Each structure stands twice: as structure tokens, then as C-alpha cells.
Amino acid sequence: MDGGYGGEKSALASELAQVLAMVRELEARMDQDPLPAAARELCAELASSVDRSIRIARSCCGDSPASGAGSPTATAAMPPPPSPRGGKSIGLRTILFVSSEKGTPCVRRQLRAASVQDAAALDDGLSWRKYGQKDILGAKYPRAYFRCTHRHSQGCLATKHVQRADGDPLLHDVVYHGAHTCAQAAHPSAQQLRQELQLQPGHGHGAQEDQGASLLALETEGLRAGLLVEPMTPYWFASAAAAGDGADFAGCFPLLSPTALDWQLRSSHPAGSLGVGIGMEFETQFEELFTTNATEPFQWDLYAAN
DNA sequence: TTAATTTGACCTCT
DNA sequence: AGAGGTCAAATTAA
């Protein structure tokens, strides 16, 4: 352990290095033929990364968040990197996409390591055996395929594949297919995965069945949100301030969809009335809500903003 | 010696 | 035909 602020300094350094890499990539794309979607994605990533950097810097330097929103206890409890789910993974930020593509539910996580060294620790605590690796068209890094070590001995069909994100060696895309049915199914990670895999379209959210739709679950530092979205299209959070006028919900985050529609995530949970400032960055709101009300389940709904 | 990883070949799907 | 996913023999590590 590197007690004190060592870990956070390293996280900050890697976060800033990532920002730099994205800026350079963005610069390079400016000269190309219109690639609005790619540029927009980069901008969203950039904004999100800067936001995280600022928060890390604040926590490292003992700077108060100065927002006036949220309770002091909440901000004091905030920064230590989350310990996501029992395993050795130091996964710092997780985004879950629960999809029903090809009829087989899967869970997609984006795990960011604090440093290149930490990337090896993106282990989820479960035992996997690598059975293949493939270069993916247009991707900088190959995709590695894993299946459960106990596939043959216990007939466990769980698989996953891991791919490093282009332009960001710290970001890993992990897609899980199937839940563990072997002995390690009792492992916290496997149990959570099983739970997530049960979040399928038409189940448990009151959302109507929609042909080809997927359930998108977002998780930031353990706080979860679930919503029904269009078929497995990538979504990004915009960092713009929310504008939930007239709504009863204090927690209201903008979600930018590739269909050019603006969406808003609204919390119907009492936690939404915790006095969180509307103008704060969504991730900060997420963390504020989570740290002040971590034990409560959250329910979210997706609204078109226009 | 056993288990895990690597890697080229093969299969399936679009 | 090409891309993604899986198989299995060869190789490496424990």
C-alpha cells in the first residue's frame, strides 16, 4: 500500500496523461473529413476526464469542493478509489451495459486502471482461462477471450473478452457473457454478475418490452441506474449542467444520445431531494448521492429532454 | 508433470 | 469475402 496521497497522485497523473492523449487525438481528427460522432465522443471523454482530474486534485490537496452542495461528511467520504466488487480489481470507474444483443444477455464494463501497472489488477477475482486473442478491425489493441477455468470440469459456460481502449491504455472494455454456474458462482463478483445478467429488457423496471432494446445500467462507484435504451448504441454522458426545470427531481443528469436527442436521467428516489445542486457535474452529483445514501437502492428513469 | 498461454486454423455469421 | 469467435496443437511457466 502506498498510504497517503501516493495512489491519488498517480491516478491524477494518469488521468492528465489521458487528457493529453485525447487532446492530441482530437487535434489530429480536426483535419480529417467530418467525423462528428467520433469528435463528440472524444469531447465527452475529455470533459469527463477533466472533471475526474479536478476532483482527484481537490481530494489530494485537501481543497474543499466549494460547491456548497452535499454534506461535508459526504465530500469527506468521497475520494478513496472505490473497491468495486470484492475482487482484486482496482477498477476505478465502471459503466455497465446490459444488453440482449443476439439474444444472449451480456454485461459490459469499462474499467480504468489508475496506472499501467495497475492494469494487471483488473482481475475480477474469478478464475478465467484465456482461449484466444484476436485483432479487431479498426482497434489498436487485440481482444483477448477468456472462459471459466471450470468449463470442462463443471460445465460452466461463463465467458468474457477484454480489450484495451484505443488511445487509452488504462481503459479496458470487459464484456461478460453468461453467469458462472460453477463453484465460484458464490463469489461476490459472480453473484453480482448474475444479478446484472438478470436485468433484461422487459424485466423489473416497469419498462415496456421493446423489440431489440437493451437495458443500459450505469454504475459509478457503486451507484447504479437502469434504463431501457435503443439497441446497443453507445451513449455518453454530457458534462453540461442539467436543466430539470419544473421537475420534482433534484437529481437530473443530461444524457447525450447519438440520435441527437438529449436525454435526462431522473431519480425517482428520495435521495434525489438531498439538496444536490442542479448545476454540478453529473459525476459529482452521482458521487454526492452515492456517498450520502450508499445503502439505498436507486431507481432511475430516462426522459427525452425535448 | 500439469496447467496456462500463445497462435494459426477453422467455423459461423453477415 | 471478411470479421469475429472458438478450437486445439505447440509452447511456456509453475
Side-chain angles (χ1 to χ4, degrees):
Chain A
M1 296 287 273
D2 59 22
Y5 297 127
E8 289 178 349
K9 282 179 181 172
S10 135
L12 177 59
S14 67
E15 197 66 52
L16 290 173
Q18 185 199 339
V19 171
L20 193 59
M22 285 189 286
V23 168
R24 284 178 179 154
E25 192 179 340
L26 193 55
E27 278 176 350
R29 292 189 183 191
M30 290 300 186
D31 297 328
Q32 297 177 8
D33 253 318
L35 273 178
R40 194 170 46 198
E41 177 183 12
L42 265 175
C43 287
E45 283 266 346
L46 201 49
S48 162
S49 194
V50 169
D51 183 41
R52 283 195 294 275
S53 302
I54 291 169
R55 283 184 288 110
I56 292 170
R58 279 175 179 163
S59 70
C60 281
C61 307
D63 196 354
S64 89
S67 66
S71 69
T73 50
T75 49
M78 201 191 318
S83 49
R85 42 182 59 77
K88 284 178 281 181
S89 166
I90 47 85
L92 299 175
R93 194 160 299 275
T94 303
I95 303 172
L96 301 175
F97 296 83
V98 181
S99 159
S100 59
E101 56 185 331
K102 294 179 189 171
T104 319
C106 70
V107 172
R108 179 178 171 206
R109 291 182 177 145
Q110 289 185 322
L111 301 176
R112 187 190 303 285
S115 68
V116 175
Q117 292 89 339
D118 286 335
L122 285 173
D123 168 19
D124 50 21
L126 300 166
S127 55
W128 300 95
R129 177 165 173 168
K130 187 174 181 178
Y131 66 87
Q133 179 167 304
K134 193 81 178 173
D135 285 324
I136 301 301
L137 189 73
K140 203 166 164 182
Y141 304 103
R143 176 180 297 170
Y145 297 87
F146 299 85
R147 61 177 160 230
C148 177
T149 304
H150 308 107
R151 184 186 186 90
H152 300 303
S153 59
Q154 298 176 36
C156 181
L157 297 177
T159 64
K160 73 170 179 179
H161 63 247
V162 180
Q163 190 170 7
R164 280 163 66 175
D166 292 354
D168 182 359
L170 299 180
L171 189 64
H172 293 70
D173 236 350
V174 185
V175 179
Y176 295 86
H177 292 270
H180 284 273
T181 56
C182 57
Q184 62 181 333
H187 188 284
S189 299
Q191 284 182 327
Q192 186 186 13
L193 186 59
R194 187 192 303 265
Q195 224 175 6
E196 286 159 2
L197 285 165
Q198 285 167 354
L199 293 172
Q200 291 177 51
H203 295 290
H205 195 251
Q208 60 286 18
E209 189 90 36
D210 185 12
Q211 195 74 348
S214 304
L215 186 83
L216 165 64
L218 306 161
E219 179 177 293
T220 299
E221 331 272 306
L223 174 63
R224 303 179 59 191
L227 47 134
L228 201 69
V229 298
E230 296 164 41
M232 211 49 192
T233 42
Y235 280 72
W236 305 283
F237 276 117
S239 295
D245 60 310
D248 295 335
F249 317 95
C252 179
F253 312 132
L255 184 65
L256 199 62
S257 87
T259 58
L261 280 175
D262 284 332
W263 299 87
Q264 291 177 345
L265 257 185
R266 293 179 180 176
S267 166
S268 55
H269 189 274
S273 60
L274 284 177
V276 174
I278 288 295
M280 295 174 63
E281 298 291 309
F282 85 92
E283 283 189 352
T284 308
Q285 290 193 10
F286 240 56
E287 288 191 359
E288 293 284 346
L289 288 170
F290 170 58
T291 52
T292 53
N293 210 346
T295 59
E296 295 284 341
F298 282 73
Q299 198 68 51
W300 301 86
D301 294 304
L302 181 66
Y303 294 84
N306 45 3

